[in-house]
Every structure is written in C-alpha cells, then in structure tokens.
Amino acid sequence: MASASASAPPTPFCLPAVLAEEGRVIRTLAGIRPYRDAGFVVREETLGTKRLVHNYGHGGAGITLSWGSSMLATRAGLGGHSGPVAVIGSGALGLTTAKLVQEAGFKVTIYAADFPPDTTSNVSGGQIHPASLFRDSAVSDSWIAQFAAAMDYSYRRFQISVGEDTGVRWLTTYDETRGRGLPEIETRMMPAARILSEGEHPFPVETVREWRGMYVETGRWLEHLMREVAIAGGRMIRRRFDTPADLAELPETLIINCTGFGARDLFGDQEMVGARGQLAILLPQPELNYAYRMRAGYMFPRPDGVILGGTFERGVTDPTAQPEDIARILSAHRELSSAFACST
C-alpha cells in the first residue's frame, strides 16, 4: 500500500507574488522608443567640412545594445581622426559612445538639450535583452551581422559592469515561450535556460522558460556613466540643435549623433516611428528575486521600485502616462500574481 506522502501531488514551486495594488504605485512613466522597421542606424556621412556618424534608432533595445552599437559607431568614426570629438545626446547611446571615445584616447564633449535624469533612457525597464527592435522582413543579412556584433560586445561589457555602484545585476528570469523559437544570437544572452515542467513554476501559463538575465537600475547606471565621463575629463554642454546646419557650428570635426527619436526631425528620418512605452513603478519589494515577461507584461524588481510594463504603442509620440493604461497594466499583473499555483 502506497504511503500518503508517496501518492501526494508534487508541491508547486513557490515565488513571492507582486503586490500590484494602486496604493503601492510611487510613480508612472512614459517614454518614446525610437523604433525603425529596418533596425538601428550606424552610418557615416559628411556634413560640410565635418564627419558625421549616426548611432540611433534602437527601439526598445537602446540600453541593451548601447555598448555594442557605440562600439560600431566609434570604430567607424575614429579611424584616421585626430582632435576632440562631439557626441550629440546624453542617453544610454550618448554616454556609452563618449566613454568609448575616451577609452580610445580622444577628448570628448557631450552636447544635449537634456541630461539624466531627463532622458528617454531613464524611462526604461533595463533588461539586457533585445526587444521591439526591428521587423524581420525589413532587414538584410549584413544588418543582422551588425546586430549580432553589437549584442556580443554589449553583453560582455555589461557582464564586467555588474555591481552596486553601476546598478547592474543578475536575476533569474521567467518567460512564456508560447511555442516560439528565438534566433541563436538572442539565445546566447539567455544562459542556464531550461523549459520548466508542471510543478516547477507557479505561472498560470502552458510553457515557461527559466534563464539568467542581467538588469540595469537605469538611474544609477546613467549617473555612473556621467561620473565616469566627467572624471576622464569629458565636458557636458546643454545645447539644442534644430537643423544639421547647427551642428556645423561646433568646433569638433567629428560628430557622433546619438539623439534617438530626435533624429527623426533633426535629420528627416521618416523611417523612425515613435512607440510609446508606459510603466507603473511600485514600492520596492526586496523579497522579489526574479523577473518575468508574460502576456500580462513584464516585471523587473529594482532597488528603486518594482517595474511593471508595459505597452508598445506604435505611432504614439505623446510621452505622457495615461491613467487608464496604467490601470490596465496593474490589473494584468495583479491577475497574473493572484493565479499563481503557489505564492508566498
């Protein structure tokens, strides 16, 4: 006769639930992702007597690809160059570009209308994994190779940046696979990945994948980069540019454009389509030691608050959080947590 313990069903794997209550919201945010079907742009051109290198259009993967795309841009611009360099824009792309320019031995000045914390990069969940970046049918094999090179370099730079001072850390991550495969260049950024069987996870979905991912506390990371650039002698000047002719007035002969969505108007890139992303930030829950991406949205716990997303509103360029959308985000995450097979 089997014992009671032998015949009992397996104990569900438990995770602490997200407390997605309206009373726990400490702020709401909305940012405009610089999305292009054809992916991000790294391209050199001339501007009068100056050389101009573009580095923009990263959709929802600006922080993820920041180091790698900036590596491509600096390699394109610095070969054969002498003298100081101008970087336009102070978000993730601008700051990593400036840092790499300095590492290559050049003086740099960052020109921007706004500096952190008043940048689109500050309005980001901060997961180091590409999302909402391009449309498969709109990119070439050569662009995919560029994408892979940027991802590889970024991934290595973030690995060696993990720490309290930078705000970069590893977290166990769960996502709903829904039977979809991922390109090999993306799965390389999902170490220790495995498909979980019933009883190994609490999520009310059919197929769950577990893996280890890196996450960035964006405010801390951007401040860290600004400090590093300043310590190395970089200058930061508040200035707005309305036309390419305004750039011609700069003293530097090499300019690297990292203006994100601003490049649409500044350089007439009509392939750029703004996509609003909205976030609800909850009071921190130190017990949350995992992240997830499900149909309900994504949840990334950070020391400065629990990040709940999200939306991808193609063509919407009003950077204002909408109360009804925030309410839907909270409801979706609350419903997901309440349906956990086991929660503590």
Side-chain angles (χ1 to χ4, degrees):
M1 179 176 176
S3 66
S5 60
S7 60
T11 301
F13 183 79
C14 294
L15 291 172
V18 178
L19 303 177
E21 305 297 334
E22 291 184 5
R24 295 183 60 83
V25 176
I26 55 176
R27 64 186 182 276
T28 60
L29 302 171
I32 307 303
R33 300 179 180 97
Y35 175 78
R36 302 174 80 254
D37 280 344
F40 66 88
V41 175
V42 174
R43 184 183 69 247
E44 182 182 355
E45 63 180 78
T46 59
L47 183 65
T49 60
K50 302 180 186 299
R51 294 170 61 218
L52 174 66
V53 177
H54 294 292
N55 184 20
Y56 70 85
H58 298 78
I63 289 178
T64 295
L65 291 173
S66 57
W67 285 112
S69 185
S70 297
M71 174 272 292
L72 296 175
T74 53
R75 283 185 180 177
L78 295 178
H81 177 70
S82 61
V85 177
V87 172
I88 312 303
S90 65
L93 277 300
L95 291 172
T96 52
T97 295
K99 178 69 174 166
L100 291 177
V101 167
Q102 290 177 320
E103 289 180 5
F106 296 85
K107 293 183 178 180
V108 69
T109 298
I110 300 176
Y111 298 92
D114 296 294
F115 287 90
D118 300 316
T119 69
T120 299
S121 294
N122 286 88
V123 188
S124 172
Q127 184 186 47
I128 306 305
H129 198 270
S132 307
L133 175 62
F134 64 95
R135 181 165 55 85
D136 289 344
S137 61
V139 296
S140 64
D141 290 343
S142 61
W143 186 90
I144 290 293
Q146 176 179 267
F147 171 39
M151 281 186 50
D152 283 344
Y153 186 79
S154 275
Y155 196 49
R156 286 184 277 119
R157 285 295 297 232
F158 277 113
Q159 286 180 43
I160 63 174
S161 299
V162 171
E164 287 297 318
D165 59 332
T166 62
V168 182
R169 62 175 177 150
W170 290 94
L171 275 176
T172 297
T173 303
Y174 301 93
D175 66 7
E176 184 178 0
T177 63
R178 284 176 269 175
R180 294 180 295 109
L182 286 173
E184 192 270 336
I185 57 175
E186 292 190 32
T187 59
R188 290 204 300 268
M189 300 180 75
M190 304 175 75
R194 67 189 186 104
I195 301 298
L196 302 181
S197 59
E198 185 178 358
E200 291 186 297
H201 69 85
F203 298 99
V205 299
E206 184 175 350
T207 307
V208 171
R209 173 174 43 203
E210 176 190 84
W211 49 286
R212 294 286 289 174
M214 284 184 288
Y215 293 81
V216 175
E217 184 183 347
T218 53
R220 184 179 300 191
W221 181 65
L222 293 167
E223 286 292 337
H224 169 79
L225 286 176
M226 288 183 67
R227 186 165 56 250
E228 290 282 297
V229 169
I231 289 172
R235 298 190 305 157
M236 300 181 191
I237 297 177
R238 193 175 298 274
R239 182 167 176 178
R240 184 178 299 277
F241 301 94
D242 296 317
T243 69
D246 295 338
L247 297 175
E249 299 174 1
L250 297 177
E252 295 85 359
T253 58
L254 173 62
I255 302 168
I256 304 180
N257 166 38
C258 304
T259 53
F261 187 61
R264 186 184 69 166
D265 294 332
L266 183 57
F267 293 99
D269 186 345
Q270 297 307 307
E271 293 185 45
M272 184 97 72
V273 178
R276 183 169 63 189
Q278 299 186 58
L279 301 175
I281 317 297
L282 306 177
L283 282 168
Q285 284 185 248
E287 71 274 19
L288 295 178
N289 59 355
Y290 68 98
Y292 65 68
R293 301 186 307 187
M294 301 284 168
R295 270 175 278 195
Y298 58 80
M299 184 282 293
F300 307 152
R302 300 191 326 207
D304 62 328
V306 179
I307 312 301
L308 297 186
T311 66
F312 185 84
E313 302 163 70
R314 185 184 175 115
V316 179
T317 58
D318 174 13
T320 306
Q322 305 298 307
E324 61 274 17
D325 292 326
I326 296 299
R328 280 194 290 269
I329 290 171
L330 291 171
S331 176
H333 288 276
R334 190 164 55 244
E335 182 177 343
L336 178 70
S337 292
S338 66
F340 273 14
C342 175
S343 61
T344 58

